[in-house]
Amino acid sequence: MTGVVGALGCAARKGERMASSFGVAGFGRALGVASLLAGVSTAALADPDPQPDPRDARIQQLQDQVQQLVADHRRLQAEDDQLVVKAQQLEAEVAALRQGQAAQGQAIQSQAQSIETVEAKSPPEARPSGAAKADDGSLTWHGVTIYGTYDVGVGWVSHGLPANGYNYEGESLINRNGDRSQFLIEPNNLSQTGLGIRGKEEILPGWFGVFNASTGINPQSGQLANLAATNTGNAGLPRKSYSFAGDGARAGQAFNDELYVGIASADYGTLTAGRQRTLGTDAMLLYDPAGGAYAFSFIGYNGLMAGGGDTQDTRWDSALKYRLAYGPVHFGAMYKFDDGQGGCFSASATWTAAACTPEKPHNSAYGFDVGGVYGDFSADVVFQHVNQAISVLNPLLGPASLSAPFQSTADSINTNPVNGANLIGTANTEYGIVTDNTATMVAAKYIWNPFKFFGGYEYIWMTNPANPLGVGATAQGGYLLSGVEDNNLDSPKIVQVFWTGVKYAYDSKTDVTLSYYREWQNDFRLPAACSPAAGFRSSCAGALDEISLFADHHFTKRFDVFSGIAYSDVSGGLAIAIPHGPGVPYFFDSNIAPTVGGRFSF
């Protein structure tokens, strides 16, 4: 019997090890051992010896161990099942992560290409002040980087003007004096051709000195970008003899884009001083689907939206600018100090030098920007206010033009002519309408690869200036005004601008962009008498629309080619070319402008 029990004990221990090691097979063998033990116990009970048999206790112990092994086996089997399920879940998660990694890699590649495109379209100085970090391949030495862009193309316009070497915008948008179809060399289609130098140097731990100096050059003529000269060069000529004439902030300055110096910190932001792009201009470059391209963007070409009402205010002289980013949120503030000269002003239609009141400049301006990024969505709200904003509508009229010797000195509603002696000569001077402007803009962008969606809206409130400017006042580039209108508005003029568009990444090197822009104004003429029968003036309600489509292909990071077309039309009060009298309309109210070209950036 002792041998049997010993064998059973050995079998039980072996069964315990096998149950732990062999799972289901061990479980079967454990059941066999349990049956055997039950049989032995029955035989022991039938033993006629009434004395307790110590082997019964051992048998019971072995039975308990077998039951424990069975319980452990079931527990381990349940855990094994859970581990199998967990393994399956982890495999599914790994597969999802790999798929997401692949998609992210494609998105990063697309985003990198997009960043290269935006950097090419927006010269590096368009970035927030202080972000002058050279990328690979840049011309950088001891923290100083030289950069530039050359952009030129060939285009056709259905209603354009002879080219002007000072014009840096091309002729894609409908022009008030355009009267002929023609082929021409189109400058600066996606980017402004120009040169710049910027630097960033650590002066204290975590603090950097920064500077930027950049200017625009016309690739078709080699002249500095200067829209003011397109007006002075046409002064005194009849409209049919004009070459291209327009208005803008680049007015022949040595550094007609930006010239500033400042200090930057990753924790405390960047503060810069000098001539700088406005907060509205920065936002336009970020949220315009066409990236401010002159050939395909109304808000890039016209500058009305970026300047908060007038294109001369897309850049401010004598300005402080502060930028701060905190996580996904960023903030900006900007202030312009009074500068230049105010000239002298008289409300009389028959003013003379003796009766003219000297004026001081009150052309301060200020603005704020609040924005942020949440995943693939980004948005900004920009507020700007400009005092004594100047808008140059046309070259000065002269003896050969229509019947008036000069433009009006009062307003375009009562059309008081200049009857007194002019305080300054009309040679190389401009004629401007002066207003105080307040503008609020909301813009957003959403990335849904391979698409990027853009949209924005701006509301501009314009009033007659609280402090008038006079003849001899200073405009952009130091040009002087020989004619000024300070009371041009019967009532507040409200201008609204809306835009939207989508950019599609066809592949890692090719983008296709579709954009739509609309400007419209209220009827600020009193009494309101605007109709085709009554005639339109510039104070009547009107609208301007532009739609564009273009493709841009990058052969390399630095060189790309593009092709596209823009269509624009104008109506109502916005279709008035010369605002005085009953209003002289545009020669044509629409323009079609296809363009092809190339761009090299470094």
Side-chain angles (χ1 to χ4, degrees), residues 203-483:
I203 52 179
L204 291 171
W207 291 89
F208 298 84
V210 296
F211 75 90
N212 181 49
S214 57
T215 196
I217 302 169
N218 296 334
Q220 80 282 19
S221 66
Q223 301 280 358
L224 288 173
N226 189 352
L227 279 180
T230 66
N231 285 287
T232 60
N234 284 299
L237 299 176
R239 289 176 69 203
K240 287 286 188 179
S241 297
Y242 284 175
S243 60
F244 179 90
D247 189 21
R250 298 179 188 263
Q253 304 94 329
F255 297 99
N256 53 62
D257 185 20
E258 291 189 299
L259 180 62
Y260 63 75
V261 65
I263 188 168
S265 164
D267 296 325
Y268 300 100
T270 301
L271 177 65
T272 50
R275 175 176 171 84
Q276 302 179 72
R277 295 178 178 180
T278 64
L279 300 174
T281 302
D282 292 340
M284 180 271 292
L285 292 171
L286 288 174
Y287 294 104
D288 179 7
Y294 292 144
F296 307 108
S297 168
F298 165 72
I299 59 178
Y301 185 104
N302 183 277
L304 168 81
M305 181 277 287
D310 284 311
T311 187
Q312 284 206 13
D313 295 306
T314 56
R315 290 159 181 81
W316 293 352
D317 291 339
S318 304
L320 290 175
K321 186 176 186 180
Y322 177 70
R323 288 280 194 183
L324 174 66
Y326 184 77
V329 180
H330 57 260
F331 169 79
M334 196 168 182
Y335 182 81
K336 178 190 178 302
F337 295 90
D338 296 337
D339 63 349
Q341 57 201 54
C344 69
F345 171 76
S346 174
S348 171
T350 57
W351 58 267
T352 64
C356 186
T357 303
E359 299 292 335
K360 293 182 179 180
H362 297 277
N363 53 359
S364 62
Y366 55 89
F368 302 95
D369 172 29
V370 177
V373 178
Y374 182 78
D376 293 327
F377 177 81
S378 59
D380 277 78
V381 178
V382 180
F383 173 86
Q384 295 185 126
H385 178 82
V386 181
N387 296 311
Q388 297 178 327
I390 297 172
S391 174
V392 175
L393 296 182
N394 252 315
L396 284 166
L397 299 177
S401 60
L402 301 180
S403 59
F406 302 105
Q407 296 269 27
S408 165
T409 189
D411 59 74
S412 51
I413 296 171
N414 63 30
T415 65
N416 290 333
V418 175
N419 292 329
N422 224 2
L423 299 186
I424 61 174
T426 57
N428 210 37
T429 60
E430 298 180 308
Y431 176 87
I433 292 176
V434 183
T435 55
D436 288 346
N437 300 342
T438 301
T440 301
M441 175 180 62
V442 179
K445 176 175 64 175
Y446 179 72
I447 301 174
W448 184 44
N449 284 316
F451 298 96
K452 293 182 181 179
F453 299 93
F454 302 80
Y457 169 80
E458 185 171 44
Y459 183 91
I460 305 169
W461 179 278
M462 308 172 73
T463 61
N464 290 325
N467 297 287
L469 285 177
V471 172
T474 308
Q476 277 277 11
Y479 283 82
L480 301 181
L481 301 180
S482 57

Side-chain angles (χ1 to χ4, degrees), residues 522-596:
N522 67 324
D523 187 349
F524 55 93
R525 182 183 179 191
L526 296 176
C530 298
S531 67
F536 288 97
R537 296 188 181 182
S538 61
S539 52
C540 297
L544 185 150
D545 297 273
E546 181 179 58
I547 186 170
S548 67
L549 175 67
F550 70 95
D552 180 27
H553 177 76
H554 281 260
F555 285 100
T556 67
K557 180 179 179 179
R558 304 297 182 185
F559 178 70
D560 60 319
V561 295
F562 52 85
S563 176
I565 187 170
Y567 170 82
S568 55
D569 62 58
V570 67
S571 63
L574 285 176
I576 299 302
I578 299 178
H580 310 99
V584 179
Y586 281 37
F587 285 126
F588 294 92
D589 59 8
S590 66
N591 190 42
I592 301 174
T595 306
V596 296

Side-chain angles (χ1 to χ4, degrees), residues 72-84:
D72 289 344
H73 168 76
R74 290 173 178 170
R75 177 179 57 79
L76 291 172
Q77 187 176 32
E79 291 180 358
D80 183 64
D81 292 340
Q82 292 176 354
L83 289 174
V84 170

Side-chain angles (χ1 to χ4, degrees), residues 447-521:
I447 301 174
W448 184 44
N449 284 316
F451 298 96
K452 293 182 181 179
F453 299 93
F454 302 80
Y457 169 80
E458 185 171 44
Y459 183 91
I460 305 169
W461 179 278
M462 308 172 73
T463 61
N464 290 325
N467 297 287
L469 285 177
V471 172
T474 308
Q476 277 277 11
Y479 283 82
L480 301 181
L481 301 180
S482 57
V484 184
E485 293 185 17
D486 288 294
N487 56 337
N488 178 262
L489 309 180
D490 274 355
S491 62
K493 177 180 179 180
I494 299 172
V495 177
Q496 300 177 74
V497 181
F498 166 79
W499 71 95
T500 188
V502 59
K503 182 185 294 290
Y504 169 65
Y506 176 78
D507 56 32
S508 62
K509 293 187 175 183
T510 307
D511 292 327
V512 180
T513 304
L514 175 66
S515 308
Y516 171 73
Y517 309 88
R518 180 174 176 83
E519 173 199 358
W520 68 100
Q521 69 180 29

Side-chain angles (χ1 to χ4, degrees), residues 157 167-173 175 184-189 220 244 294-295 301:
V157 291
N167 172 33
Y168 56 84
E169 294 184 322
E171 299 190 28
S172 61
L173 189 68
N175 187 285
L184 68 163
I185 299 296
E186 289 279 28
N188 311 323
N189 299 280
Q220 80 282 19
F244 179 90
Y294 292 144
Y301 185 104

Side-chain angles (χ1 to χ4, degrees), residues 131-149:
K133 183 178 179 180
D135 60 356
D136 293 338
S138 63
L139 301 177
T140 302
W141 184 72
H142 288 286
V144 177
T145 301
I146 298 175
Y147 61 91
T149 300

